[in-house]
Amino acid sequence: MSENKYKDLEDLAKDIRKKTIDSIGFLGVGHIGGAMSIADLLTILYYRKMHVDPSNPKMEDRDKLVLSKGHAGPALYSTLAQKGFFPEQWLRTLNVGGTNLPSHCDMNRTPGIDMTTGSLGQGLSSAIGLALAMRLDKSERNVFAIIGDGESQEGQNWEAAMTASQFRLNKLIAFTDYNKMQIDGYTSEIMSIDDPEAKWKAFGWNTDRVNGHSFAELDAAIDRARESKDKPTMIIMDTIKGKGCSFAEGVITNHNMAFTYEQAKEAIEALG
Amino acid sequence: MSDKDMRDVYTETLMEMADADQRICVLEADLMRATGTGSFKDKFPERAFNVGVAEANMVGVASGLSAGGKIPWAATFGCFAARRSYDQFFISANYAQQNVKLVGTDPGVTAAFNGGTHMPFEDTGLMRCIPGLVIFEPCDSVSLKSLIRQATEHKGSTYMRLQRKGKYTLYGESDEIVLGKGNVLKEGEDLTIIASGYVMVPEALAAAEMLADEGINARVIDMHTVKPLDRKLVVESAEKTGAVLVCENHQKKGGLFSAVAECLGEEYPAPVAAVAVEDQFGQVGTLEYLKEAYGFTKENIAEKAKALIKRK
């Protein structure tokens, strides 16, 4: 039996989930579902894949991330805090007036955030701009972008999809957090985005499909994407909305949920 | 004296700057032929991006370029710049404190044959609601060149209303044109006429001549920068002349007239009036027809001026 190459990431992801549940639970309400579904992706990106420096968040020639589904900011804040971009105590200031950690990502407030997002559908275009700027600077770094499945319903994504392939942005690696749920219900019932791979392929992208909670699959897919010579890549991640939060996992109303700090503590304990 | 269309001055100025500054990029949404930035693309192909008919995406890409340290100048018709890509410009560019220079061409009646669907009478009003945004509308080739350079140096996003076609030179090369400061074109004491842009500044000057023939001396101001408004000059003019007439190629709500009226309401209440579009949509026609239809003529300005003076 081979050694588990991802034990460290599993532990780190668990800590990121605990921190995220704690920060939202401390406030009492927040976007728990979509934060938990991308926790594993953020873990592998920030601990294995991205060239970043927590002591110098604006380091020249770094990899960049656009979290287009900006409401999942709390998961990214936990990741950045854990990496040392800012003190972990900040996590309990989520959405408190004057905080550096607003519900949706703000590059001007939070060290380590590369692009302001929150109005769904806009992040992929911004990621294209960042990738073009990197190309002008002759950088070999990547721009990563994460969009939601519900977010894919915004038409601007498809304008951006055409643009990224037209401009042959092989350094752009995007992920769809395909957790199959959105605010009003199941994505398939509200406005289906099936079959996402066929859609992105038709727009000229490389596509891949992985279990978004498998580090092995994410690892391999990101490495494959990095080999691309002339196309952007969309990695469709099958995920579970609320993954790892006992009272929220798979619950249809978990998009923006109110819960008590007692519930949060129980969910944190359940993670072990 | 300029023998060049305004759009040629736009492209030439960007090319001059791009020679020295590698950060300057141009973005278009399938209107490169209309804006005339093809020569920029010929010279700097790697810094000219045509995203196709996708204005919202264009503004988003421009925001990303800015976040990556570039200075993007993105142009499209004003109707699309303001209405189609408003949220992208609001959030990805301005809320994100980026440095996107957005250009809305064919302002107001200059959309002419493209008609009501393409005739922005509301772009300045929409843009004025974006916190911190700098908004300007050059009337001639000299101020256009100068203001593009100043906007490029300004840290933050800007919105420029640009008349593409037509040649007009008002200023001399040595005239001082400063973003955020109005230019007094003619002194007078009976009323002040504040105008902006390629359509209205020449008409305002012509109206002032007509008024002078009747013994009425109007102070005329080119208020190229709508935001931040040169409040000092507005108040000083109201104090000096007792009445202010605003002429703009825009609807009455939200634009320069609103800005001036808000300022005077707060600081120096005085009779104000507007030569601007009432609560109406645009329509097709020649520029001359449309100017007549909406009252953008020296005769109408003179009439409104005389009526205003009676309210002093």
Side-chain angles (χ1 to χ4, degrees), chain A residues 49-242:
Chain A
K49 301 298 182 188
M50 289 175 67
H51 179 64
V52 292
D53 180 358
S55 67
N56 183 13
K58 295 198 183 298
M59 177 178 67
E60 293 288 320
D61 204 33
R62 66 186 188 277
D63 288 317
K64 291 179 179 170
L65 172 73
V66 178
L67 181 56
S68 189
K69 42 172 288 184
H71 55 277
L76 183 49
Y77 304 153
S78 299
T79 310
L80 293 171
Q82 191 166 291
K83 280 283 286 185
F85 279 84
F86 50 82
E88 291 195 3
Q89 294 90 299
W90 285 21
L91 294 174
R92 287 200 168 179
T93 69
L94 183 69
N95 278 355
V96 173
T99 186
N100 289 320
L101 306 181
S103 60
H104 297 77
C105 296
D106 187 334
M107 64 192 294
N108 298 299
R109 286 186 177 271
T110 314
I113 297 291
D114 294 315
M115 189 65 211
T116 296
T117 53
S119 182
L120 293 179
Q122 298 193 17
L124 202 52
S125 300
S126 303
I128 288 170
L130 285 168
L132 290 169
M134 280 185 185
R135 178 182 282 177
L136 288 172
D137 292 339
K138 313 244 182 301
S139 166
E140 289 297 309
R141 300 292 173 200
N142 288 107
V143 177
F144 297 96
I146 305 173
I147 66 172
D149 49 3
E151 183 185 10
S152 306
Q153 293 156 359
E154 289 280 5
Q156 190 183 342
N157 284 300
W158 305 101
E159 298 182 357
M162 279 185 271
T163 305
S165 60
Q166 179 76 24
F167 293 166
R168 299 175 183 278
L169 293 177
N170 61 317
K171 298 295 182 190
L172 175 60
I173 301 175
F175 303 85
T176 298
D177 179 20
Y178 197 17
N179 59 38
K180 327 287 188 300
M181 293 182 190
Q182 56 190 109
I183 296 174
D184 278 349
Y186 293 100
T187 305
S188 58
E189 290 170 10
I190 303 297
M191 187 54 61
S192 171
I193 67 153
D194 289 340
D195 159 4
E197 288 161 276
K199 287 182 171 68
W200 288 96
K201 206 176 280 294
F203 279 84
W205 289 51
N206 299 315
T207 61
D208 219 325
R209 184 146 185 170
V210 301
N211 174 350
H213 304 304
S214 161
F215 290 116
E217 290 188 29
L218 287 168
D219 191 6
I222 294 166
D223 285 351
R224 275 193 296 277
R226 278 185 154 158
E227 295 301 310
S228 175
K229 297 292 176 227
D230 60 353
K231 287 181 182 179
T233 299
M234 173 57 77
I235 299 171
I236 310 292
M237 304 192 302
D238 286 300
T239 56
I240 296 166
K241 198 161 179 175

Side-chain angles (χ1 to χ4, degrees), chain B residues 214-255:
Chain B
E214 298 180 43
I216 298 168
N217 287 316
R219 185 180 220 208
V220 180
I221 291 171
D222 170 16
M223 195 64 86
H224 43 74
T225 310
V226 177
K227 187 178 175 181
L229 183 71
D230 187 347
R231 294 172 74 98
K232 189 163 167 259
L233 182 60
V234 170
V235 171
E236 174 204 297
S237 298
E239 283 172 349
K240 181 178 175 185
T241 67
V244 177
L245 177 66
V246 178
C247 305
E248 60 176 326
N249 176 16
H250 187 275
Q251 62 162 293
K252 213 164 156 182
K253 296 182 186 69

